[in-house]
Amino acid sequence: MFRAFGKYYRWDSVNDGMIESGFRSVVQDRYSDIMSEYRHESANRARAAGYNIPNTNNDFAIMRDFEPISFNEDVWKDLCKYWDTDAWRKKSVAGRANRMSGDDTGTVSRHTGGSRGYDQYRLELQKELKRIPTFLELFLITHLTAEAKKKFKAKDYDTIQELEFCTPTARAICERYTSAMVEKYGEDLTQHPEGDVDLWVQAQEGRGKCRRIYGVGSSDLHFVVTGTSSNGNKLTSSEYQRSQQRVQELEEAHAELARQNGEMAKRQAQMQK
């Protein structure tokens, strides 16, 4: 995927490690959603061709012959063969159960950021604040309730404790992190770094043996908290904005391809009739 990505964009070779690290982080975070969209597209193509596939179930024996418009046919057949196994179905069921499991209070929602990632929120906040936002600001904008977000953006609050979080877990970890930041860097928040990975990890105390870091998921921890990849490379503001514009262009292109594919499937169904 990264090699294919490199066919559409060019960059200075000295940034190869940084670009690939960021690419892998985004793909790792988006991969399951991307594959789900492809399966949905394949099922719709099969339905348009006259096959009866329930919305709640994938029939890979049929879908294997209806690869998504931008997919290699042989690769798609191999994926369908893998998905059409008991082992994969068990993993899928377990993953769905984990995503739907609640936190301390049984609340399913762990964030209120929607489908947008930290990278997009970072860019939007940077435009609003006229500076690079801190990780704390990113966390608040994605883990506060709708009303609390309005107060946060309007700066209509004195302390974070006044704001309402989406879950008690989000509040507890955020409060431990902010306390640790003040203890380490002082009361003047303007002197704090964008984020401190070690302090965020320490703030996870009490979460048992959970393998994922709260608020980060499967993404690159360093990149989410500090805007710096694990190998220590960091995008400049202009590089970051260009990368986000490219991400947006790719997402828009993907949406357009999906739309064209839907129209094509309808035309094929009409031609067959």
Side-chain angles (χ1 to χ4, degrees), residues 28-40:
Q28 184 177 8
D29 190 48
R30 294 287 310 281
Y31 184 78
S32 61
D33 289 336
I34 292 172
M35 290 297 104
S36 178
E37 291 174 3
Y38 279 136
R39 289 192 291 269
H40 182 70

Side-chain angles (χ1 to χ4, degrees), residues 26 31 57 69 87 101-102 109 121 130 132 136 236 247-248 260:
V26 172
Y31 184 78
N57 189 31
I69 192 170
S101 61
S109 177
Y121 275 107
K130 307 300 182 184
I132 297 176
L136 177 59
T236 64
V247 168
Q248 185 175 359
Q260 292 177 3

Side-chain angles (χ1 to χ4, degrees), residues 252-271:
E252 291 174 351
H254 183 271
E256 177 62 19
L257 282 174
R259 185 190 65 78
Q260 292 177 3
N261 181 66
E263 294 178 355
M264 184 182 297
K266 292 179 181 178
R267 288 197 296 270
Q268 290 176 342
Q270 293 173 349
M271 291 173 64

Side-chain angles (χ1 to χ4, degrees), residues 12 17 21 30 72 105 114 131-132 176 200 202 206 244 248:
D12 192 322
S21 177
R30 294 287 310 281
N72 176 277
T105 64
R131 60 172 173 77
I132 297 176
R176 285 197 291 266
W200 186 251
Q202 292 174 20
Q244 295 313 298
Q248 185 175 359

Side-chain angles (χ1 to χ4, degrees), residues 61-110:
I62 296 175
M63 291 163 56
R64 67 189 300 273
D65 295 323
F66 294 90
E67 72 277 0
I69 192 170
S70 57
F71 228 97
N72 176 277
E73 180 180 355
D74 293 333
V75 173
W76 180 252
K77 290 183 183 297
D78 286 342
L79 280 172
C80 286
K81 182 179 180 180
Y82 169 68
W83 290 329
D84 197 18
T85 62
D86 290 337
W88 182 81
R89 290 191 182 92
K90 289 180 180 178
K91 288 182 180 179
S92 179
V93 171
R96 187 180 300 111
N98 288 336
R99 289 191 295 272
M100 294 302 294
S101 61
D103 66 357
D104 325 37
T105 64
T107 304
V108 172
S109 177
R110 290 184 176 83

Side-chain angles (χ1 to χ4, degrees), residues 20-173:
E20 184 169 1
S21 177
F23 181 87
R24 288 179 177 274
S25 178
V26 172
V27 171
Q28 184 177 8
D29 190 48
R30 294 287 310 281
Y31 184 78
S32 61
D33 289 336
I34 292 172
M35 290 297 104
S36 178
E37 291 174 3
Y38 279 136
R39 289 192 291 269
H40 182 70
E41 180 182 339
S42 173
N44 281 341
R45 290 193 62 196
R47 293 185 187 103
Y51 290 95
N52 182 21
I53 299 179
N55 290 325
T56 57
N57 189 31
N58 291 311
D59 192 332
F60 295 113
I62 296 175
M63 291 163 56
R64 67 189 300 273
D65 295 323
F66 294 90
E67 72 277 0
I69 192 170
S70 57
F71 228 97
N72 176 277
E73 180 180 355
D74 293 333
V75 173
W76 180 252
K77 290 183 183 297
D78 286 342
L79 280 172
C80 286
K81 182 179 180 180
Y82 169 68
W83 290 329
D84 197 18
T85 62
D86 290 337
W88 182 81
R89 290 191 182 92
K90 289 180 180 178
K91 288 182 180 179
S92 179
V93 171
R96 187 180 300 111
N98 288 336
R99 289 191 295 272
M100 294 302 294
S101 61
D103 66 357
D104 325 37
T105 64
T107 304
V108 172
S109 177
R110 290 184 176 83
H111 64 82
T112 56
S115 60
R116 288 178 293 174
Y118 275 119
D119 51 354
Q120 190 169 350
Y121 275 107
R122 184 179 276 118
L123 181 60
E124 292 174 357
L125 279 176
Q126 182 173 334
K127 291 179 179 178
E128 291 180 17
L129 303 173
K130 307 300 182 184
R131 60 172 173 77
I132 297 176
T134 65
F135 173 65
L136 177 59
E137 291 169 326
L138 288 172
F139 185 79
L140 290 174
I141 205 65
T142 53
H143 287 79
L144 292 175
T145 62
E147 287 300 317
K149 285 181 184 180
K150 293 179 182 178
K151 291 184 178 180
F152 170 70
K153 288 187 174 183
K155 297 183 179 179
D156 185 21
Y157 67 98
D158 294 322
T159 65
I160 291 177
Q161 285 73 16
E162 299 175 19
L163 301 174
E164 183 180 359
F165 286 78
C166 61
T167 67
T169 297
R171 173 182 291 281
I173 293 179

